Amino acid sequence: MLNRRSFLVSTAATAVFAGSARLAFAAPSDGVLTVAMIGEPPTLDVMQTTTDLVMTIDQHIFETLYTYDAEWKTVPLLAAAQPVISDDGLTYTIALREGVKFHNGAVMTSDDVVASLRRWLDLATKGKQVAAFVESLEADGPNTVVFRLNAHYSPLIATLCSGSVILPATTLADPLTEFVGTGPYVLKERRPDQYIQMVRFDDYASPEGAPSNYAGQREAIAREIRFVPVPDANTRVEGLLSGQFDFADSLPVSAYDRLSGSDKSAPVIFENAGWVSMNMNMKQGLMTSKALRQAVQLALNPTDMMMAAFDADMFYSVDGSIFPKGFFWHTEAGIARYGEGDAEGAAKMLAEAGYDGTPLRLMTSRQYEFHYKISEVAKAYLEAAGFKIDLQVVDWATLTTRRADPDLWDIFVTHSNFPGDPSTINTLSDNYPGWYVSEQKAEAVAAYMNATTDEAKFTAWERIQTAIYDDVPLYKVGNFNALAGVAKGVAGYEPTYWPHFWNVSPKE
């Protein structure tokens, strides 16, 4: 069973957290929640990019057929139930909840779902990955859709949990010009670099059940949510401490003591929020050399990088396994060249690979300050091994745009959550920036797709992790706990990887 723990550290924060269960049934409020985010999203079309910033904002407007509960199991959201799977494992029949309305007043039907999912299959990175397995996707009456696959694809439902949002068929366009969903909040106004304003959707049809991570009852308690781009982390901290913001995301861990001692705010820690990785460009440039990628592995010191980024070990852990201890998928299989940094050994590998001194372009952003600090330490270790490093510091929107062009970078720093299904890790997609394509990956992933039991899936996952360490499409730095902050008087907030604000009451 997957274990995902979240907790609040401090007496005041615990008090904020404690009322969440009963607040699922709280009366609507006329209050406003002002949420400080790390920057301006590059788009509100989540099919174009599933970056955390876009996912966090969009989940209030749009919904998917399935979502994750507290154990990171897939559960219905717009679907009425788990799929009915044929005996041969190739046909998935999905019943839809009836009477769900879009923000424009239209009732969701299977035609909307099919049109939306076809767009996702054509456009989204993960959708393209799924598309290779889809023989057909059709409506079967107004409230049922049917996937027919050409081969087994065990993570299909897990993949439908993010990015595959359901839109009215009449609003589909590329690019989107109307942002109409089924979620608890309606997009009212977007002023770039100022705010994104959402208001309560009075006709929202909530799923049933107790709130559990992203699953269960969703109540739009706040009349309005304003997502405000605040690229500077210290400005987010000061705004929270002054009472300007009700929630501030992705705060530097150095702010923990100030938040704990404040009479207006409290710190929120989310354990094992995710993992940091350095992703390699395997399509063009220096990192097309497997030997050079392995030299990068050997040169780096994950402990020093994580300590520089997070200051104290209460905020991070160093673990070569892609999934941390306590998760079903944790394994030591295949871990190699993950240690305390071997400059001499890495230098020898550079010489053997014929490295000619071409600068390695390391792209990072200061909007996630821990990305930047990790990059600084990585630069020092890589230079000690003999690499020449061109550290390129850009804003996050620029990084997510530039990483799509293989001509512009060699390594970029990012972070990810721990998905419910390991095959949905971004890097395993042939189309994700980095363009990881190899025979051993393909064979390991194929074994996973054909697995029908948890035991067989785990064995296949061990092969995938082994391939990742050998091919080096990425370097896992470590696991991190996320720090955010919430204003005192705000009730019902529960930490989740993509912070959400349904079931949350504004301060009076």
Side-chain angles (χ1 to χ4, degrees):
M1 179 180 296
L2 298 180
N3 177 24
R4 198 72 183 274
R5 299 184 302 273
S6 58
F7 60 93
L8 296 176
V9 182
S10 85
T11 302
T14 301
V16 173
F17 181 60
S20 60
R22 63 178 181 273
L23 285 171
F25 306 94
S29 163
D30 285 334
V32 177
L33 289 170
T34 303
V35 178
M37 304 301 294
I38 62 102
E40 178 70 20
T43 178
L44 291 182
D45 184 353
V46 73
M47 293 191 193
Q48 296 278 3
T49 176
T50 54
T51 58
D52 289 339
L53 180 58
V54 175
M55 289 284 288
T56 296
I57 295 171
D58 272 22
Q59 64 185 333
H60 298 82
I61 307 170
F62 306 111
E63 294 178 316
T64 50
L65 293 181
Y66 295 92
T67 191
Y68 293 115
D69 69 7
E71 295 181 342
W72 287 83
K73 294 178 179 177
T74 56
V75 295
L77 181 52
L78 290 176
Q82 296 290 354
V84 176
I85 305 174
S86 62
D87 290 341
D88 63 5
L90 297 177
T91 301
Y92 287 65
T93 301
I94 301 173
L96 307 176
R97 288 170 52 209
E98 298 182 26
V100 174
K101 288 185 179 181
F102 288 108
H103 298 155
N104 61 7
V107 175
M108 180 189 73
T109 70
S110 55
D111 289 338
D112 300 305
V113 173
V114 168
S116 299
L117 294 181
R118 285 178 177 170
R119 182 178 189 264
W120 176 71
L121 291 169
D122 289 340
L123 187 62
T125 298
K126 289 183 179 178
K128 291 176 182 178
Q129 180 180 341
V130 175
F133 296 87
V134 176
E135 182 176 302
S136 66
L137 170 61
E138 304 291 343
D140 183 9
N143 298 303
T144 305
V145 297
V146 180
F147 277 95
R148 291 185 174 85
L149 308 182
N150 55 36
H152 290 116
Y153 189 72
S154 62
L156 174 63
I157 301 305
T159 308
L160 292 176
C161 288
S162 62
S164 57
V165 295
I166 306 305
L167 315 166
T170 56
T171 67
L172 297 184
D174 192 12
L176 283 181
T177 57
E178 298 179 65
F179 298 88
V180 179
T182 61
Y185 286 91
V186 179
L187 177 64
K188 182 176 181 180
E189 184 178 20
R190 180 184 182 185
R191 292 194 176 185
D193 298 318
Q194 294 185 52
Y195 60 80
I196 294 171
Q197 180 188 20
M198 299 180 190
V199 295
R200 183 191 299 124
F201 180 36
D202 290 330
D203 287 335
Y204 177 64
S206 173
E208 297 181 350
S212 176
N213 202 13
Y214 303 102
Q217 186 170 348
R218 298 180 171 193
E219 292 285 343
I221 298 174
R223 172 180 55 83
E224 178 182 323
I225 303 174
R226 287 204 175 202
F227 291 96
V228 180
V230 185
D232 183 73
N234 291 324
T235 303
R236 294 196 295 277
V237 172
E238 297 302 327
L240 184 67
L241 291 170
S242 69
Q244 179 183 1
F245 304 133
D246 298 300
F247 180 89
D249 194 25
S250 192
L251 302 181
V253 296
S254 58
Y256 176 82
D257 289 340
R258 294 186 66 201
L259 293 174
S260 295
S262 169
D263 60 355
K264 292 185 178 180
S265 65
V268 180
I269 293 182
F270 182 53
E271 189 182 62
N272 284 329
W275 54 293
V276 187
S277 64
M278 299 173 63
N279 289 48
M280 316 288 178
N281 184 348
M282 295 178 62
K283 191 173 187 178
Q284 192 169 325
L286 280 179
M287 293 295 99
T288 57
S289 166
K290 181 175 178 177
L292 291 184
R293 297 195 302 272
Q294 290 186 344
V296 169
Q297 271 183 322
L298 190 61
L300 294 173
N301 183 314
T303 300
D304 282 359
M305 287 191 284
M306 294 299 285
M307 176 59 80
F310 296 101
D311 294 336
D313 58 12
M314 70 178 291
F315 294 112
Y316 74 89
S317 62
V318 172
D319 183 359
S321 173
I322 302 297
F323 287 84
K325 294 177 181 178
F327 281 63
F328 176 78
W329 304 106
H330 178 83
T331 176
E332 300 295 322
I335 296 174
R337 293 171 295 278
Y338 185 83
E340 298 307 306
D342 182 354
E344 184 177 341
K348 183 179 179 181
M349 294 181 74
L350 290 184
E352 292 173 349
Y355 175 61
D356 63 1
T358 299
L360 188 161
R361 296 163 298 175
L362 174 57
M363 186 166 61
T364 192
S365 172
R366 292 202 78 149
Q367 282 170 274
Y368 290 107
E369 187 69 12
F370 65 98
H371 288 192
Y372 175 71
K373 290 181 177 180
I374 281 170
S375 300
E376 283 191 310
V377 177
K379 177 177 183 289
Y381 273 94
L382 292 171
E383 287 177 339
F387 281 104
K388 290 185 178 179
I389 303 298
D390 175 13
L391 183 62
Q392 300 180 353
V393 184
V394 298
D395 63 83
W396 184 244
T398 299
L399 186 148
T400 59
T401 300
R402 292 181 64 177
R403 71 184 183 184
D405 186 342
D407 190 46
L408 298 179
W409 59 278
D410 297 304
I411 299 176
F412 74 87
V413 178
T414 189
H415 67 275
S416 308
N417 69 322
F418 296 104
D421 191 294
S423 67
T424 62
I425 291 173
N426 287 330
T427 298
L428 294 181
S429 168
D430 292 353
N431 300 308
Y432 183 74
W435 304 279
Y436 176 27
V437 178
S438 83
E439 183 176 342
Q440 68 171 331
K441 183 200 84 168
E443 291 176 352
V445 169
Y448 187 94
M449 299 307 174
N450 285 311
T452 58
T453 66
D454 285 344
E455 292 76 13
K457 285 183 179 181
F458 185 82
T459 298
W461 165 242
E462 289 190 314
R463 289 180 59 188
I464 294 172
Q465 180 168 288
T466 299
I468 289 173
Y469 266 91
D470 183 56
D471 289 329
V472 206
L474 60 81
Y475 177 86
K476 181 189 175 182
V477 185
N479 310 321
F480 63 86
N481 302 334
L483 178 65
V486 64
K488 291 182 178 178
V490 172
Y493 177 74
E494 292 200 40
T496 51
Y497 180 78
W498 298 292
H500 65 267
F501 300 96
W502 57 83
N503 300 340
V504 176
S505 290
K507 60 190 177 186
E508 296 182 358

